[in-house]
């Protein structure tokens, strides 16, 4: 069959998890910049009909160990799959449960599509803002949004409300998340 090969340069800043461990909660301008970069990367993958399936801070790489100079890039495409058409579904259970969309986590073999990555994108954003993985399994979306520290403006919570839509048919696409972020 077809094999998808992705070549990436070495990023000396390590993973976003590592950088956040040193930094703690980033200032809001940095948080917003990183989230836009991650969302743009995901939208680019989806435009090529590639579903990442394991989007988390451990799979996001930083160009620098200095937060103010670090750009972030999606990596570790080991679980990624290329779809024939953007609307195709996937049935294979794959990914990290803490950032996995509810429709994927609910039942092995349940169909999901590219927008499962959008839920994971919001999970990454929540982790960047709060310093911990989202406990979406035990909480409602509103209670997750309530975990956003008060140091951030309401717009940060608005992004989570926009992307954390439990119904996959109503969830925005990655490119819609990018447009939403650019409007704020």
């Amino acid at each position: 069959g077809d094999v998808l090969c992705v070549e990436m340069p070495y990023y000396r800043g390590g993973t976003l998890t590592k950088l956040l461990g040193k930094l703690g909660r980033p200032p809001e301008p940095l948080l917003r910049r990183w989230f836009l970069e991650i969302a743009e990367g995901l939208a680019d993958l989806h435009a090529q009909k590639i579903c990442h399936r394991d989007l988390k801070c451990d799979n996001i790489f930083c160009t620098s160990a200095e937060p103010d100079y670090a750009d972030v890039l999606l990596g570790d495409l080991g679980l990624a799959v290329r779809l024939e058409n953007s609307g195709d579904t996937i049935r294979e259970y794959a990914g990290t449960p803490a950032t996995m969309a509810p429709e994927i986590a609910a039942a092995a073999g349940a169909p999901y599509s590219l927008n499962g990555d959008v839920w994971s994108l919001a999970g990454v954003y929540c982790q960047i803002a709060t310093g911990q993985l989202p406990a979406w399994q035990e909480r409602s979306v509103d209670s997750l949004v309530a975990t956003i520290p008060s140091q951030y403006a309401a717009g940060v919570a608005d992004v989570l409300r926009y992307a954390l839509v439990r119904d996959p048919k109503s969830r925005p696409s990655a490119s819609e998340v990018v447009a939403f972020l650019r409007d704020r």
Side-chain angles (χ1 to χ4, degrees):
D2 293 334
V3 176
L4 173 67
C5 295
V6 178
E7 180 180 326
M8 292 182 63
Y10 172 73
Y11 292 106
R12 65 180 66 250
T15 67
L16 186 53
T17 301
K18 179 181 170 186
L19 189 61
L20 289 171
K22 289 191 285 187
L23 173 67
R25 291 187 188 122
E28 188 168 336
L30 187 57
L31 172 104
R32 288 174 176 270
R33 188 185 86 203
W34 284 347
F35 194 57
L36 181 59
E37 289 173 354
I38 297 164
E40 287 172 337
L42 187 61
D44 287 346
L45 280 179
H46 287 185
Q48 297 174 57
K49 298 182 252 118
I50 297 172
C51 187
H52 189 285
R53 301 197 311 163
D54 198 21
L55 192 57
K56 58 185 177 181
C57 290
D58 286 337
N59 292 340
I60 297 169
F61 298 98
C62 305
T63 58
S64 171
E66 296 298 322
D68 290 339
Y69 302 104
D71 289 319
V72 292
L73 303 110
L74 298 183
D76 193 351
L77 297 165
L79 294 177
V81 294
R82 181 186 290 272
L83 305 174
E84 290 294 318
N85 300 296
S86 294
D88 287 353
T89 59
I90 305 159
R91 290 188 176 271
E92 181 184 32
Y93 183 87
T96 301
T99 57
M100 190 179 284
E103 66 272 16
I104 302 168
Y112 60 96
S113 63
L114 293 172
N115 68 3
D117 281 344
V118 173
W119 180 277
S120 300
L121 176 69
V124 165
Y125 195 42
C126 189
Q127 184 177 0
I128 294 169
T130 66
Q132 55 192 328
L133 288 168
W136 64 263
Q137 299 93 333
E138 298 94 34
R139 296 181 170 177
S140 69
V141 171
D142 286 336
S143 65
L144 277 177
V145 170
T147 67
I148 300 299
S150 60
Q151 78 186 61
Y152 298 124
V156 172
D158 291 344
V159 174
L160 283 178
R161 275 191 205 91
Y162 183 70
L164 284 175
V165 176
R166 286 194 186 271
D167 177 8
K169 292 181 175 110
S170 301
R171 192 176 301 138
S173 68
S175 59
E176 289 170 328
V177 172
V178 169
F180 186 86
L181 288 166
R182 287 185 178 153
D183 285 345
R184 306 240 147 356

